[in-house]
Amino acid sequence: MKRDWFEPLVQAAESWLDDSAGEAEYERFVRRSVDDLGRALQDPVDQPPWAGELQQAVENLKKTSIKFSESFGSSEATALRLPAEEQAVEWLNVRSEMGIVDKGSVERFTAIHLLSILQGQDGAGDLQIKAFVETLLRHVELRRKRCLRLSHGGSTARWFEKHDTAILLARGARKYNDLRYLNAAMKLIDWALPVHRRSVPTDLLARYVLAVSEVQLAFEALT
Amino acid sequence: MVLFAPTPSSLYSRLLAEMVHREDELELIGVAVRSMWSWKRVRGELRRDGARLARKIYNKLWLGEGAYPPGEEETLAGLAAEADLPDENLAQMARRFEAAYIQKPDLNDSTLVELLTRLSPDVIVFSGGGLVRKAVLEIPTMGVLNCHSGILPTYRGMDVVEWAILEASGQPEIGLTLHFMDRGVDTGPILLHHHEQVREGDTLDRIRRRLEPQMVRLMMSGLRGLRDENMEAQPQAKEDGRQYFVMHPRLKVSAAEKVRRLAAGC
């Protein structure tokens, strides 16, 4: 096989263009972020609303190869807050006719409502949910970093929607045994990593750490 | 027939052009090539391929046939040697075949549509060059033929060799499908399949390289079948398959590991 002195240049170009992160990089990131977020939870009385999300992320990570022995947050902390299933179905019915992606935009809380139905016990809305998740999957894959523009809402709300969508796709991948959903979720967390590498402990960072943990859990369950 | 090609030096396209020329009662009347260095193309391919674009350019444009491992015969380079393919680009080949030649940044360009309408081919053989729009799809009387590197209707879209391997519980469903293009992604009527097995010592790259000469053979079988009127395309139902997208590098590592395990068990 012909090889020449261009090979190192090609490898450098590949690495420069590669916007994906490896498992080791995520492990370093979540350990540091969990430490940072954990320090903000020192006061057992005044717990921030995202304490439950951090706790859930740590519980997820304990089930993966990223071994965690720590526990954070009080035992009463609530995990990711989802609307009631009936409320989510109602929300979805209103949007069913116009579609959940309209002119390249979504409404804030789309993923959260879909998550609520996805986790519903009766499975009655499975077909409809699959169709919606498929729409989101195509949207994310085709729009890539320009995906999930919000019809109303600023930059922070958009990042929340992206992380919520990553959680939805990762849980959807496990529920429907569909690696395509996991694939899109992995891309969503990759594209957000540069934004969070140096972020301070906030609710947005906690949501991102939760999204990373859900993706890691699904990755290890499905591959 | 008219050939659509991604670059003037594409080995796959050159082999198809040569084999069609050598075949009785098949005539290559035009070659349309996509210009390599247009900003629109670079941007589109960068968005689609990401980091892989650097390797693709290096392999196809710089290394050329030198990118194929020596001693591996089932490759496009092996088929080119077997067919004694002349060392010519598509422009030179078109001159030799007295076929029209056109190079455009976009294969849906209005000048090309005009030329194709004038040539009125029975078939356009698509060997790469980007999306083909409705105006072009409607010109050939039979249609636009494409060889997809996956088994349709199950595996539509990108990286389908890897997806088929990753999803398989036993022997993966890998191979090729010759089909007419329609406005969807790999959803057009199917003419032929070629099925491939994982063999001892296989890697993802080796499987892909082995499929490439089969693409030429499958395309030629399809063209002969259409010429002899003994082949009929079967429509696909949309719900019979799923669309796959570019695989994340971490999942690709898992697919590569699975091939290694399957190949070790052969």
Side-chain angles (χ1 to χ4, degrees), chain B residues 162-188:
Chain B
E162 289 80 356
W163 281 112
I165 288 164
L166 197 61
E167 287 191 343
S169 49
Q171 188 62 232
E173 202 185 354
I174 49 177
L176 305 168
T177 307
L178 186 67
H179 70 105
F180 282 113
M181 292 169 89
D182 63 8
R183 293 181 73 189
V185 177
D186 303 319
T187 48

Side-chain angles (χ1 to χ4, degrees), chain B:
Chain B
M1 57 157 270
V2 168
L3 176 71
F4 274 18
T7 65
S9 58
S10 159
L11 188 53
Y12 173 44
S13 312
R14 286 164 52 217
L15 270 163
L16 283 172
E18 186 65 31
M19 296 218 170
V20 166
H21 176 69
R22 290 179 191 177
E23 189 73 29
D24 287 343
E25 292 176 56
L26 284 182
E27 189 189 3
L28 185 67
I29 55 172
V31 178
V33 177
R34 194 172 182 203
S35 311
M36 280 190 291
W37 305 116
S38 78
W39 169 239
K40 194 178 164 191
R41 179 174 189 172
V42 172
R43 196 181 52 186
E45 295 200 6
L46 190 60
R47 273 190 67 195
R48 190 193 63 196
D49 294 333
R52 300 191 298 190
L53 185 61
R55 175 72 48 191
K56 195 169 137 187
I57 292 173
Y58 177 63
N59 280 350
K60 292 198 184 265
L61 300 182
W62 183 255
L63 293 178
E65 288 165 43
Y68 294 98
E72 204 175 295
E73 286 172 8
E74 286 182 78
T75 63
L76 270 185
L79 185 61
E82 192 184 303
D84 202 15
L85 182 73
D87 186 18
E88 295 174 321
N89 63 32
L90 284 169
Q92 293 164 323
M93 292 177 99
R95 263 199 303 279
R96 178 158 59 92
F97 306 152
E98 295 178 355
Y101 180 84
I102 188 167
Q103 192 165 348
K104 287 284 168 192
D106 182 352
L107 293 181
N108 302 288
D109 183 278
S110 58
T111 325
L112 177 58
V113 172
E114 275 173 35
L115 175 70
L116 288 170
T117 309
R118 215 168 49 244
L119 291 173
S120 184
D122 293 325
V123 175
I124 291 176
V125 170
F126 181 82
S127 62
L131 287 176
V132 180
R133 303 214 181 274
K134 188 169 172 256
V136 172
L137 289 173
E138 286 175 345
I139 294 172
T141 48
M142 288 182 179
V144 180
L145 267 184
N146 174 49
C147 192
H148 171 68
S149 57
I151 299 294
L152 294 177
T154 315
Y155 289 101
R156 298 176 179 139
M158 305 284 294
D159 285 346
V160 284
V161 173
E162 289 80 356
W163 281 112
I165 288 164
L166 197 61
E167 287 191 343
S169 49
Q171 188 62 232
E173 202 185 354
I174 49 177
L176 305 168
T177 307
L178 186 67
H179 70 105
F180 282 113
M181 292 169 89
D182 63 8
R183 293 181 73 189
V185 177
D186 303 319
T187 48
I190 295 170
L191 269 179
L192 285 171
H193 284 117
H194 164 81
H195 293 270
E196 192 66 51
Q197 300 280 313
V198 175
R199 299 183 198 167
E200 194 181 345
D202 262 349
T203 61
L204 286 172
D205 284 344
R206 193 166 144 176
I207 293 170
R208 280 203 170 271
R209 285 196 295 270
R210 193 162 67 240
L211 284 172
E212 287 175 351
Q214 296 299 342
M215 290 171 79
V216 178
R217 293 188 182 109
L218 200 66
M219 188 69 89
M220 291 309 298
S221 301
L223 288 170
R224 285 185 203 109
L226 292 173
R227 175 196 65 192
D228 301 340
E229 296 178 359
N230 59 13
M231 207 171 277
E232 206 174 320
Q234 300 301 317
Q236 300 184 45
K238 189 171 181 277
E239 60 277 9
D240 287 346
R242 302 194 299 190
Q243 188 180 350
Y244 291 80
F245 298 90
V246 172
M247 188 180 271
H248 189 278
R250 281 178 73 194
L251 287 177
K252 204 166 249 189
V253 169
S254 301
E257 174 58 23
K258 196 161 176 188
V259 168
R260 199 189 58 75
R261 283 199 307 270
L262 284 166
C266 288

